[in-house]
Amino acid sequence: MNKQQPWYKQFWPWFLIILPLCAVVASINLLYLAVVNKDPLVSEDYYKDGKRINRDLKKIKYAKQLGLQFEMIVDNNTLTITQHGGEPYLAAMNVEFFHPTIEARDFTQVVTADGNQVYRISLDKPIIGSWEVRLDGYDRKWRIQKRLEITDNGQYWLN
């Protein structure tokens, strides 16, 4: 006579247990990702945000009226910014880099020009990928803003 095997030695019970177990593991993983990677909050005061955007647009228009144009050279861990258009700007400058998806990678630095009117920034690690780059005068009267796709080493124009 054929003796039946115990349930834990058969294929089908394990197959039926594994399917829901995979779903549970996947849902726990997604819950962890949702908790760790929270989205930033939406602003509650849209009117003030709109006014700020209009001020920013005025700064950008003013920079275009002045004819300001800068060349940015990325070389491994060094950024070099040189002015090529408009009246020479000799004061300090605010340089801001915003990553479109990872807020923790954003950084801001105030830089001054050396004797050759070149602004240099030393970086901890190379920056690669998509970035929103902003140059502001130290007095915050003008702004140049551009989205760049930065590769290993390259030359980029900000105007």
Side-chain angles (χ1 to χ4, degrees):
M1 190 170 203
N2 230 357
K3 189 173 181 187
Q4 192 172 2
Q5 293 179 336
W7 72 270
Y8 55 87
K9 290 186 177 180
Q10 294 180 15
F11 168 74
W12 287 108
W14 288 111
F15 179 74
L16 294 175
I17 290 171
I18 289 293
L19 289 177
L21 190 62
C22 288
V24 169
V25 168
S27 64
I28 290 172
N29 187 27
L30 287 176
L31 178 66
Y32 170 76
L33 289 174
V35 169
V36 169
N37 299 321
K38 293 180 182 177
D39 290 334
L41 296 176
V42 177
S43 174
E44 293 182 13
D45 196 349
Y46 298 107
Y47 181 72
K48 284 184 180 177
D49 290 345
K51 287 176 68 175
R52 191 191 78 242
I53 290 170
N54 287 337
R55 282 194 309 268
D56 291 348
L57 290 174
K58 287 179 185 176
K59 292 177 186 179
I60 292 170
K61 285 180 185 177
Y62 186 61
K64 288 184 181 185
Q65 286 175 351
L66 294 175
L68 295 175
Q69 184 176 10
F70 291 87
E71 172 192 26
M72 182 176 77
I73 298 174
V74 179
D75 184 21
N76 293 328
N77 293 358
T78 305
L79 290 176
T80 307
I81 301 172
T82 310
Q83 184 179 359
H84 286 281
E87 192 173 316
Y89 185 76
L90 304 174
M93 187 166 44
N94 297 302
V95 180
E96 300 172 297
F97 279 78
F98 298 101
H99 195 273
T101 57
I102 307 171
E103 187 177 2
R105 294 183 64 191
D106 298 351
F107 65 93
T108 302
Q109 191 165 357
V110 177
V111 293
T112 56
D114 61 12
N116 297 326
Q117 298 178 357
V118 175
Y119 298 89
R120 295 183 200 285
I121 300 174
S122 296
L123 303 170
D124 297 335
K125 57 185 176 181
I127 55 172
I128 296 174
S130 182
W131 289 90
E132 180 82 24
V133 180
R134 288 185 194 162
L135 302 179
D136 279 310
Y138 190 72
D139 56 1
R140 304 276 186 187
K141 287 186 178 179
W142 58 266
R143 172 179 287 171
I144 295 176
Q145 179 173 323
K146 193 166 187 180
R147 182 173 293 261
L148 299 175
E149 191 66 37
I150 298 177
T151 56
D152 288 336
N153 297 323
Q155 173 186 18
Y156 306 93
W157 288 95
L158 304 169
N159 51 2

